[in-house]
Each structure stands twice: as structure tokens, then as C-alpha cells.
Amino acid sequence: MRVANQSGRLVLVADGRAVDVESASSGRFSADPQQIFERWDEFRSWARTVEFSDASVVIDSELGAPVPHPGQIFAVGVNYADHVVESGLELPDTPFVFTKFPASIAGPYDTIEHPGGSVDFEVELVAVIGKEARHVPADQGWEYVAGLTLGQDLSERELQLSGPAPQQFSLGKSFAGFTPIGPVLVTADEFDDRDDIEVSTVLSGELMQQSRTRHLIFPIPVLVSYLSSIVPLRPGDLIFTGTPAGIGFTREPKRLIGVDDELVSTADGIGQMRHRFVSNGRPHPLTTLSRNARSTSHA
């Protein structure tokens, strides 16, 4: 099953055509894409009965984030061995987890404001929680996943790495638009192997990242188990599962996202996202902070 958010309305998608869920269900299910996760099992059973004979064409430019208002966004760092190496770190014993703020969610084809500084790309497979998860055994982890989507964990490295430890991972990764996801949400049964999905990043025509999720150090069921042992996972929460090697910041010379660059992200079985970047016309937050600090010290 494939679901999407078209013009703010929940739709079922098949072969490039879409069925409006609220209309097709005669109001049984809401048009709100976020609300469906509270009734995921019921919705999935109903969706199997839907006919696509009267479906409309999917319009890519109208697609928004398939999970527009997640309650929690967890992200896992250094979860591919090759990314651990390029980052100059050691293999983790436990998942390295940070958060991204829900206000940073964007759609699969949005134009994103560039805040200045060193903006980097990190393509990731994203797991969407489909029911309340608490103290879940790892061998049952997939049972709590509604489906998978594609994401970019965009990161402004200067803010992310500023200050003493613990550094500002969450802020540097949560500028407006820095959590794009899409273009659709796909249930795990749609994949030949849900644990082996190719993801890639192309920046203005140059292949930057390409790997498969079989190389995750901590696979999705383990992440669901680990996180749920600490905090309840709720329907519609997101888990960004980590990025492979190839990020721009560790390259020599660095290759970071600039204004007018096009970022193309792909996941097999899910599709592509395309993003362009425009200047927000404002000073970088660290520059503003420095000016304010100097002004305050002289007052």
C-alpha cells in the first residue's frame, strides 16, 4: 500500500493515480494525512478494498510530506560503518540518537530556504510508527512500523558543531525545511526485502551518496526496540535511520549545498524527492548571536 498527501488531503496511490480517502470511504476516514496513523490497522484493512477505476492522476507538485505533523522525530547518527569512518569516529555500541524538531518538516518537492553557513545533505530511510510502542522486543519491531518513506536530514554544520559538548545537533538540523520527507509512504510488504533498500543523493547532477539499508549497524527493528525501551513511540512518529558515507562536509574539498543547487534524493520502491535552495536573506544565527553578545557587553 502506498499513501500520500496531495494538496493537504490523504490519498491512496497506485501506478501514478490517486484515490481521495475521505471521499472513497464516505467520511469514515479523515482527509487529514496525520490522523490516519491513530487508526492504521483499521485503515489498512479498508484500503485493500479500494478500487482505482475512478482515480485521478497524481500531481507531483501538489504532494506534501506524507507525515506532515509528527509528534516526535528521532534521528540516528553514524549508523553506517562507512559513515563512521569518514566521520573519524569509532563504531557505536548503542544507537547515537538526537532529535529534529517537527517544525522543520517539508514536502518532497519544496523549495528550501538556505540559512547560510555549511549546509550538508544526509539521505535516509525513514520509518513511520503505526501504533503505540513501549518495551518492544527487537524481533517484533517491524510490527510497529506503519511504513517507510524517504528523508533528508539536512544539516547546517557550523551551528550543529558550535559550542562545547553536547553540541547543537538538534538546532543545526532543524532549520525551516530541513526535514523533507516523501514523496509517499510505502508499507513494508511492498518491498522485495524491507531490510535491503537502496538510497542515494545526487547534488546538481553529481552522485554523492549511494548505499543499501542492509548496511545499517542498527536496523529498524533494533531501533524501534531501543527507543521504545526509553520513551513511548506513538502513531505517526518518525525514525530517521541514519545516512551512508558521502556527505559533503568530510570531502576534500568540501562539497556543500549552495543557493540554486538541486538536491535529488532517491529510495528504491519509494521514489524521488527534488529540492532547490534559495537564500533567506538573513545573517547566519551565529553571526547575529555574536553581534548581540558584543552589543550587550558594551551596554
Side-chain angles (χ1 to χ4, degrees):
M1 182 177 71
R2 304 167 73 85
V3 298
N5 169 1
Q6 182 160 288
S7 298
R9 296 184 64 85
L10 180 68
V11 295
L12 285 168
V13 175
D15 299 322
R17 300 184 69 79
V19 169
D20 185 273
V21 168
E22 185 179 48
S23 297
S25 69
S26 300
R28 177 179 172 185
F29 298 103
S30 167
D32 182 351
Q34 190 68 41
Q35 294 298 315
I36 204 62
F37 299 105
E38 295 287 349
R39 302 169 62 189
W40 185 255
D41 289 342
E42 179 188 355
F43 169 69
R44 187 170 179 180
S45 295
W46 169 82
R48 296 189 185 102
T49 70
V50 172
E51 297 289 339
F52 279 78
S53 55
D54 295 325
S56 59
V57 175
V58 173
I59 302 173
D60 286 350
S61 62
E62 295 182 358
L63 293 180
V67 188
H69 304 293
Q72 303 181 99
I73 306 175
F74 303 93
V76 183
V78 290
N79 202 21
Y80 287 79
D82 56 3
H83 182 46
V84 173
V85 172
E86 73 175 356
S87 299
L89 302 172
E90 296 182 357
L91 286 173
D93 294 325
T94 58
F96 172 62
V97 180
F98 54 93
T99 56
K100 291 169 72 76
F101 299 123
S104 63
I105 285 284
Y109 306 111
D110 289 354
T111 297
I112 298 171
E113 289 188 355
H114 194 299
S118 303
V119 178
D120 207 352
F121 46 85
E122 295 190 12
V123 69
E124 309 204 13
L125 190 69
V126 180
V128 183
I129 298 300
K131 59 182 177 181
E132 184 94 9
R134 188 73 171 127
H135 299 296
V136 174
D139 62 0
Q140 297 175 23
W142 274 114
E143 297 175 20
Y144 293 81
V145 175
L148 303 171
T149 192
L150 170 63
Q152 271 283 348
D153 173 23
L154 296 175
S155 308
E156 198 290 292
R157 301 300 188 189
E158 292 169 32
L159 180 58
Q160 176 192 345
L161 301 175
S162 66
Q167 294 163 323
Q168 301 291 336
F169 270 57
S170 294
L171 286 178
K173 292 169 172 283
S174 293
F175 282 90
F178 268 35
T179 310
I181 57 173
V184 296
L185 171 71
V186 184
T187 53
D189 60 299
E190 293 280 329
F191 299 91
D192 291 336
D193 185 344
R194 63 191 181 186
D195 293 299
D196 186 23
I197 298 169
E198 184 175 282
V199 295
S200 64
T201 298
V202 173
L203 183 61
S204 292
E206 182 180 359
L207 180 64
M208 309 301 284
Q209 294 180 284
Q210 187 174 37
S211 189
R212 304 190 69 89
T213 57
R214 67 170 180 262
H215 300 304
L216 287 170
I217 298 169
F218 301 104
I220 287 172
V222 173
L223 297 177
V224 170
S225 178
Y226 178 70
L227 290 169
S228 72
S229 73
I230 299 167
V231 61
L233 304 181
R234 297 170 178 148
D237 285 350
L238 304 182
I239 303 175
F240 276 65
T241 60
T243 199
I247 64 169
F249 196 71
T250 59
R251 291 173 179 260
E252 189 58 50
K254 291 178 171 58
R255 176 60 171 104
L256 299 165
I257 299 171
V259 172
D260 297 328
D261 265 327
E262 182 185 48
L263 184 70
V264 179
S265 315
T266 305
D268 282 356
I270 298 173
Q272 269 189 359
M273 300 193 298
R274 292 180 174 270
H275 297 99
R276 288 194 173 274
F277 297 80
V278 296
S279 172
N280 67 6
R282 298 178 181 274
H284 188 276
L286 292 178
T287 301
T288 302
L289 180 65
S290 178
R291 289 174 182 169
N292 289 341
R294 289 198 302 270
S295 175
T296 302
S297 68
H298 294 153

